[in-house]
Amino acid sequence: MTHVKQTNFLVSSFFLLGLTASAAPAVSAPLDTDNDGIPDIAETLLATDPLIADTDGDGQNDKADARPTELDNPIVQTGTPATIRVLSVKVEDNFDPVTKKDVSDHLEIAISNVGTADLKGLKMYLTLTDDTNAKTESIYRDLSGFTMAAGKTTGLHFDLKGVADWAAAQTHYRANENSMLYTTPSPKTLQLQIAANGEAPVSITVKKDAGGAELAD
């Protein structure tokens, strides 16, 4: 009888060990939506974009980039006279003229083409400065998908619902949710430069009052 009891005990123990091993939860890798090697939760701390592997647009993956949220302006500063006009730049108090309602704060650039040819190959460089501590961020966007017919006016929108593949988008582009534009309420200065293929760039500076972005203030 003793022998039988010992056998049952061994079988039961083995069975329980097997159950324990198979029931152990699998350890999954942290979420890395843009596959840049930086988990989304760490992108929050680094102020990089969890949906764009190259946050500043300098051609380097964020993990390999010593300054993933800053780059020098790559736009050529010479060219034929610009046919693009910047009519306005807004970063707060945005308004939808179609629905006639206030919308969340975001970067909105109204431009026109005063030339006789279509505007193509738009490039944009933006520097954001926190006016309280002089901290800066900058991004470059090669908006290759953008085309605007001669004589037309349009708006470019950069917000959290925009298209992350900015080279494929037309007028609605993704903004970095971890940018200080969204994470700090400090007043800020935005310096924008925009240029079409072969043309000299156009520059404009705007101020953003204290307060958060995305939510109307």
Side-chain angles (χ1 to χ4, degrees):
M1 291 294 292
T2 301
H3 176 72
V4 172
K5 287 182 179 178
Q6 286 178 343
T7 301
N8 288 342
F9 174 76
L10 289 172
V11 170
S12 298
S13 298
F14 179 79
F15 181 66
L16 288 173
L17 285 171
L19 274 181
T20 302
S22 63
V27 178
S28 58
L31 182 63
D32 178 12
T33 304
D34 59 9
N35 295 311
D36 62 356
I38 304 174
D40 290 1
I41 192 171
E43 303 240 31
T44 302
L45 301 175
L46 296 171
T48 51
D49 194 323
L51 300 189
I52 296 178
D54 176 15
T55 297
D56 58 11
D58 65 354
Q60 282 189 291
N61 177 290
D62 284 343
K63 189 175 182 180
D65 193 341
R67 300 187 306 155
T69 60
E70 287 187 274
L71 79 163
D72 297 329
N73 186 357
I75 294 179
V76 176
Q77 298 299 299
T78 57
T80 58
T83 58
I84 188 173
R85 298 288 184 271
V86 178
L87 305 177
S88 66
V89 177
K90 300 192 71 172
V91 284
E92 57 189 345
D93 304 328
N94 300 80
F95 182 78
D96 187 335
V98 176
T99 62
K100 300 187 183 307
K101 293 181 178 178
D102 292 335
V103 296
S104 300
D105 290 352
H106 65 276
L107 175 60
E108 176 183 346
I109 309 166
I111 57 175
S112 66
N113 177 5
V114 299
T116 56
D118 292 352
L119 274 176
K120 295 181 179 180
L122 205 65
K123 299 172 177 58
M124 186 193 81
Y125 178 74
L126 175 70
T127 298
L128 179 66
T129 303
D130 186 317
D131 293 340
T132 61
N133 58 19
K135 182 180 178 181
T136 63
E137 293 177 357
S138 51
I139 58 168
Y140 168 70
R141 296 292 182 257
D142 184 345
L143 309 178
S144 303
F146 176 83
T147 299
M148 186 166 63
K152 297 295 184 181
T153 297
T154 192
L156 306 178
H157 299 266
F158 296 78
D159 60 35
L160 303 186
K161 296 181 180 178
V163 178
D165 182 2
W166 60 78
Q170 256 289 315
T171 59
H172 192 183
Y173 310 95
R174 175 173 168 78
N176 176 12
E177 66 194 59
N178 295 322
S179 163
M180 61 181 172
L181 182 63
Y182 297 103
T183 59
T184 71
S186 306
K188 300 172 181 72
T189 301
L190 290 87
Q191 295 174 290
L192 174 74
Q193 195 167 81
I194 195 165
N197 273 345
E199 294 189 355
V202 175
S203 301
I204 190 168
T205 298
V206 295
K207 293 281 188 178
K208 184 186 186 311
D209 295 333
E214 272 302 297
L215 298 177
D217 54 49

